[in-house]
Amino acid sequence: MTDKLRVAVLFGGRSGEHEVSLQSAAAVLANLDRAAYEVMAIGITKEGQWWLCPPGGGPGEGPWWEGGRRVTLLPIPAEGRLYFLDEGKFGPQVDVFIPILHGPMGEDGTVQGLLELAGAAYVGAGVTGSAVGMDKDMMKKVFQAAGLPTARHMTIRRKEWEQDPEGSAAKIGATIGFPCFVKPVALGSSVGVSMVREEGELARAMELAGKYHHRILIEMSAAPCQEVECAVLGNESPKASIPGEIVPGNQFYDYRAKYIDDNSQLIIPARLSPEVEAKVKELAIRAFQAIDCMGMARVDFFVRPDGSILVNEINTIPGFTRISMYPKMWEASGIGFSSLLDRLIELALEHHREKSRSTLFYEEA
Ligand SMILES: Nc1ncnc2c1ncn2[C@@H]1O[C@H](COP(=O)(O)OP(=O)(O)O)[C@@H](O)[C@H]1O
Ligand SMILES: [Mg+2]
């Protein structure tokens, strides 16, 4: 027997960011302290099947599910015990789940909801924070209500666009203007995001974004601007890291610039005046708290040449690859990758305890 904490890394998932998750999870698995944790790797296929990898297994070369076992979580409070489909029975308790799933069906509160129903402790934002953080429309509404500066934007439903493209284009031209950015409301890694320089390019961008979601966000371009990111860590009193900066190798920080072309520059610390840096850190924490985030988040900004700052988005499960900004910004701030994971696990247990203090049922005062 072992007195090690049993942690389970969830990776893959049913989203356009499946491949990115494999890379993130590989880095997380490589940096979890094996002396402190018994580590399980659970992959979710694009079809949604959960596979527990054989010991030491995980994403890498070749099919990671080979030699694995089909498992699931049941939506009944079972203290985070996995259910083995081959044996038809529960396995041992998983102390902390670490969802390293990017995008819909993983970062958006769906898996978090299942973890809640299963009574499990898990790293990162809960259902509300995850759902709001994933939905760019809701996220911006919450940010605005919290007094955070955002770029001018509007949303159009895919159906509305399809029924009246001319009318919708006129509305976009009048409300936002060009150049603008068109994005599916819920995704990440720039999947489905286009820069639109003039009205003639709009239809293609709307159709692309509409492939991924039934609501489409159209946003004024912040260019010229610096793209600045700041990592946040904590629960009730979150801390902000030294901000970093991205200089996209392509026209904007698109999927290719992020993962394929390897032509973007990551600069830590970001080239900001002390005043702007302090403001970015303050806004990062306020954005984190505005959506009731827990554990971790990366908050992304546009900083204009006049020093004005716009909050672009919050990522509740930021990239964790070896070259990702979230672990790199903490490293620059004095917290190495393994210590960062230790802290996230501690925070998950802490929040799990905090939640257990709330009563679920009505009690006579
Ligand atoms: N309003 C904007 N002004 C300038 N650039 C933008 C704007 N919105 C998005 N971008 C560019 O597109 C990239 C992806 O957009 P983002 O909203 O961050 O989507 P994702 O969630 O997919 O990362 C950004 O990193 C940036 O390079
Ligand atoms: Mg982004």
Side-chain angles (χ1 to χ4, degrees):
M1 270 316 281
T2 162
D3 53 1
K4 289 183 189 175
L5 215 56
R6 190 177 287 113
V7 301
V9 176
L10 293 176
F11 66 88
R14 301 171 63 194
S15 105
E17 290 179 278
H18 179 97
E19 279 74 20
V20 183
S21 159
L22 301 187
Q23 291 183 35
S24 286
V28 167
L29 287 163
N31 283 282
L32 275 167
D33 178 1
R34 305 284 163 151
Y37 311 113
E38 188 185 319
V39 178
M40 300 164 108
I42 301 169
I44 305 174
T45 65
K46 287 184 180 171
E47 293 73 38
Q49 293 186 349
W50 291 35
W51 289 87
L52 171 64
C53 296
E61 312 285 300
W64 44 262
W65 52 87
E66 263 175 24
R69 293 176 68 185
R70 284 287 308 282
V71 293
T72 191
L73 275 178
L74 294 180
I76 50 174
E79 290 150 348
R81 287 185 300 146
L82 288 171
Y83 188 79
F84 285 85
L85 292 172
D86 48 3
E87 287 182 349
K89 61 181 191 203
F90 285 105
Q93 187 186 350
V94 174
D95 297 303
V96 179
F97 283 85
I98 311 179
I100 302 292
L101 300 161
H102 307 308
M105 303 288 203
E107 189 177 352
D108 60 351
T110 48
V111 165
Q112 289 74 13
L114 180 59
L115 290 162
E116 291 284 346
L117 294 173
Y122 59 96
V123 165
V127 173
T128 308
S130 302
V132 176
M134 193 74 239
D135 187 306
K136 293 187 198 302
D137 180 28
M138 298 300 161
M139 171 177 74
K140 280 173 204 258
K141 287 192 171 108
V142 172
F143 285 170
Q144 282 177 316
L148 300 167
T150 56
R152 193 165 73 227
H153 61 273
M154 64 187 287
T155 28
I156 291 201
R157 302 184 74 82
R158 176 171 63 200
K159 273 248 177 293
E160 190 185 338
W161 167 263
E162 286 166 353
Q163 279 159 8
D164 182 13
E166 286 85 21
S168 303
K171 239 193 254 175
I172 293 167
T175 318
I176 308 296
F178 302 96
C180 64
F181 278 80
V182 172
K183 320 173 182 181
V185 153
L187 225 108
S189 290
S190 303
V191 176
V193 176
S194 309
M195 183 169 84
V196 176
R197 277 158 297 209
E198 34 107 7
E199 195 176 324
E201 296 176 358
L202 192 58
R204 215 176 137 252
M206 294 294 286
E207 271 145 38
L208 177 67
K211 258 177 70 178
Y212 296 100
H213 206 271
H214 62 279
R215 283 177 294 137
I216 302 166
L217 184 88
I218 304 103
E219 188 177 286
M220 196 175 137
S221 171
C225 58
Q226 282 170 278
E227 286 203 40
V228 170
E229 305 190 342
C230 186
V232 181
L233 178 65
N235 287 342
E236 303 294 331
S237 336
K239 301 279 181 291
S241 73
I242 293 173
E245 180 180 350
I246 284 160
V247 184
N250 295 344
Q251 215 162 28
F252 70 97
Y253 201 31
D254 61 6
Y255 189 91
R256 290 196 67 89
K258 284 179 182 175
Y259 307 111
I260 299 167
D261 294 343
D262 200 21
N263 55 357
S264 302
Q265 259 178 287
L266 311 183
I267 304 171
I268 304 173
R271 297 163 300 177
L272 301 171
S273 69
E275 297 73 42
V276 173
E277 177 177 324
K279 188 77 192 161
V280 161
K281 290 168 82 164
E282 181 212 316
L283 290 171
I285 291 172
R286 281 173 54 197
F288 185 93
Q289 291 176 323
I291 68 157
D292 191 28
C293 202
M294 289 290 150
M296 61 182 173
R298 200 192 70 229
V299 185
D300 299 349
F301 301 88
F302 300 126
V303 178
R304 316 283 306 269
D306 64 1
S308 59
I309 305 170
L310 297 169
V311 183
N312 177 34
E313 61 164 342
I314 186 164
N315 294 284
T316 53
I317 307 185
F320 264 96
T321 70
R322 268 174 308 105
I323 53 149
S324 292
M325 288 295 267
Y326 188 80
K328 271 184 159 316
M329 287 188 282
W330 280 119
E331 201 175 291
S333 309
I335 305 178
F337 206 142
S338 294
S339 312
L340 177 61
L341 296 173
D342 292 342
R343 184 72 191 121
L344 287 169
I345 290 165
E346 258 170 49
L347 288 165
L349 289 168
E350 185 187 296
H351 185 55
H352 195 62
R353 283 193 296 272
E354 182 62 28
K355 276 189 294 194
S356 71
R357 289 182 52 209
S358 320
T359 6
L360 291 175
F361 305 103
Y362 173 74
E363 279 177 11
E364 206 70 58

